[in-house]
Amino acid sequence: MRRAELDQMLTTMLASQPEVSDLLFTVDRPPQVEAYGELKPVTLDPPLEKLTPYQVEIIAMNIIGDNLWHIEDLLRHGSCDASYALSDQARFRINIFSQRGNFSIVCRQLNATIPTLPQLKLPEIFKEIPREKTGLVLVTGATGSGKSTTLAAVLNEINRDKPVHIVTLEDPVEYVHKHMKATFNQRELGIDFDSYANGLRAALRQAPKVILVGEMRDQETVKIALSAAETGHLVLSTLHTVNAGETINRILGMFEPEEQEQIRIRLADSLRWVVSQRLVPKTGGGRFALIEMMGANLRTQEAIRLGESEGKTFYEIIEASAPFGWRTFDQACLDAYERGHITEETALLYCTKRSVVTRGIDSIKKTRGDMASTAGSLRMKAFEHSAPPVLKLK
């Protein structure tokens, strides 16, 4: 297979369904695309009803090309991340991995156009993040929850408003930023640097004002990121955690117990925002982003330094700070349900505390006037179908 044939295959797969997010190549399965969260097979010409190990390997080698870093990573560790450009039509973030002795490939389509904060319909408080001068901002969530898109929108806002130097360390480079007021230098793992820790250490000598670190993978990266945040840089990064509280615990868990007290102090002083995301099915089709936001105040700093306690959990702190624009996932679920963006079932499926959301949904239904008591309706039905009581005279 030549590159032109691979490009033709990718083009056909992209055109097979609207809103394609991922392209999959797996042995004994046809080429597949994911659209609206569902996998669908693609008919090619000539047809490929079941991909053979050789065919998948050839596709993988065409994607990797002559990049020795990716080849070594794949052979040594069993997977590698790469990027691929389909002319001017599309770009992909690609993971090639081995399973049961064969290769599989997942290609995540990247948006060519960098979204803006208004286009993403993020909470109004989100506009505070690009205005930060220093500190650490973390965007968290599962794989595919839109972390990279959110960070791209934040960087785009900075690029539009501030004449600063921005250095990004990515694996791989996803959104290509054009120079506006800011000057961008985007570096890719495996091509421009060999590890996040080394790339971040070098970035401190490159006079940036803003640094994007693709992922906080180890304690060395966290330490250098904290140092950068403490020395006047704005550091943006991601973690694979489900909410703000787990994000703090995950960072602390990277360190030995004897180091954690110092890390708590440094993190409390440096952390500015934790944004957690969940992409959920949207009413009428598509997906909707639920956002949990925690900022920095005296209560969050105390909880980071001393740990969570009764009445002082991160959940309770965020919940109490709702008037300032902070929100828990449960508050985001209720807001999205009230506005008609998601269904009741989705709200209950993706919330953090189901009892809280259940009470909130009942309250919304009562306000709308469409709250019907299930128990009451059952009692009415039982009464309607029961025989009239028989009076016995003594």
Side-chain angles (χ1 to χ4, degrees), residues 349-369:
L349 187 61
Y350 288 91
C351 65
T352 301
K353 296 185 177 182
R354 182 167 291 193
S355 59
V356 172
V357 174
T358 300
R359 289 195 300 270
I361 289 174
D362 288 346
S363 177
I364 292 170
K365 286 181 175 179
K366 287 178 182 177
T367 303
R368 291 174 176 172

Side-chain angles (χ1 to χ4, degrees), residues 82-367:
S83 59
Y84 190 85
L86 184 59
S87 302
D88 295 330
Q89 183 180 352
R91 293 184 70 251
F92 300 95
R93 180 184 69 201
I94 296 174
N95 185 267
I96 303 169
F97 58 97
S98 62
Q99 56 92 25
R100 294 189 300 162
N102 299 317
F103 289 136
S104 287
I105 306 168
V106 178
C107 308
R108 165 62 54 87
Q109 184 181 8
L110 305 174
N111 289 327
T113 304
I114 299 172
T116 63
L117 294 180
Q119 287 172 342
L120 295 179
K121 298 180 180 178
L122 296 169
E124 192 68 21
I125 190 68
F126 217 94
K127 294 179 181 178
E128 296 296 320
I129 295 178
R131 296 172 187 161
E132 297 288 352
K133 300 290 185 183
T134 64
L136 180 63
V137 176
L138 298 174
V139 179
T140 78
T143 301
S145 59
K147 300 185 296 295
S148 299
T149 302
T150 298
L151 285 173
V154 171
L155 290 178
N156 188 60
E157 196 79 7
I158 297 172
N159 191 14
R160 193 185 65 183
D161 296 337
K162 298 180 182 179
V164 295
H165 181 203
I166 301 174
V167 173
T168 73
L169 308 171
E170 303 175 69
D171 181 23
V173 171
E174 297 191 18
Y175 291 90
V176 178
H177 292 265
K178 296 180 180 179
H179 306 294
M180 288 190 276
K181 281 194 174 182
T183 296
F184 266 91
N185 279 295
Q186 298 185 254
R187 309 185 70 204
E188 185 167 317
L189 182 67
I191 297 176
D192 303 309
F193 62 98
D194 62 352
S195 71
Y196 277 122
N198 288 337
L200 186 50
R201 192 178 291 110
L204 296 178
R205 300 190 295 270
Q206 293 158 6
K209 288 292 185 289
V210 180
I211 304 173
L212 170 69
V213 184
E215 185 181 344
M216 295 284 197
R217 291 182 176 175
D218 52 61
Q219 63 169 257
E220 188 178 7
T221 304
V222 172
K223 282 184 176 179
I224 302 171
L226 287 173
S227 296
E230 291 164 345
T231 53
H233 302 84
L234 177 61
V235 181
L236 311 172
S237 191
T238 70
L239 274 171
H240 292 284
T241 52
V242 298
N243 56 41
E246 188 180 320
T247 299
I248 304 301
N249 295 331
R250 174 70 62 83
I251 292 174
L252 295 173
M254 293 180 183
F255 297 88
E256 299 297 326
E258 59 270 16
E259 294 181 279
Q260 288 186 8
E261 184 176 354
Q262 182 189 15
I263 296 299
R264 283 182 182 275
I265 294 171
R266 296 178 65 187
L267 187 60
D269 291 337
S270 300
L271 189 65
R272 297 293 181 266
W273 295 94
V274 178
V275 180
S276 299
Q277 301 187 177
R278 296 174 186 172
L279 280 185
V280 304
K282 186 178 180 181
T283 303
R287 293 185 291 179
F288 183 82
L290 296 176
I291 305 290
E292 177 178 273
M293 291 198 67
M294 183 181 79
N297 62 15
L298 292 176
R299 293 190 68 194
T300 56
Q301 290 173 349
E302 181 184 13
I304 294 172
R305 286 194 181 99
L306 304 178
E308 294 178 284
S309 59
E310 187 176 350
K312 295 181 180 179
T313 65
F314 290 111
Y315 183 95
E316 291 166 321
I317 293 170
I318 299 170
E319 193 174 39
S321 300
F324 303 103
W326 301 12
R327 52 165 61 183
T328 64
F329 271 123
D330 293 342
Q331 290 168 328
C333 283
L334 290 172
D335 181 67
Y337 169 73
E338 188 172 15
R339 295 172 183 269
H341 297 314
I342 62 174
T343 64
E344 177 180 349
E345 181 184 2
T346 299
L348 293 173
L349 187 61
Y350 288 91
C351 65
T352 301
K353 296 185 177 182
R354 182 167 291 193
S355 59
V356 172
V357 174
T358 300
R359 289 195 300 270
I361 289 174
D362 288 346
S363 177
I364 292 170
K365 286 181 175 179
K366 287 178 182 177
T367 303

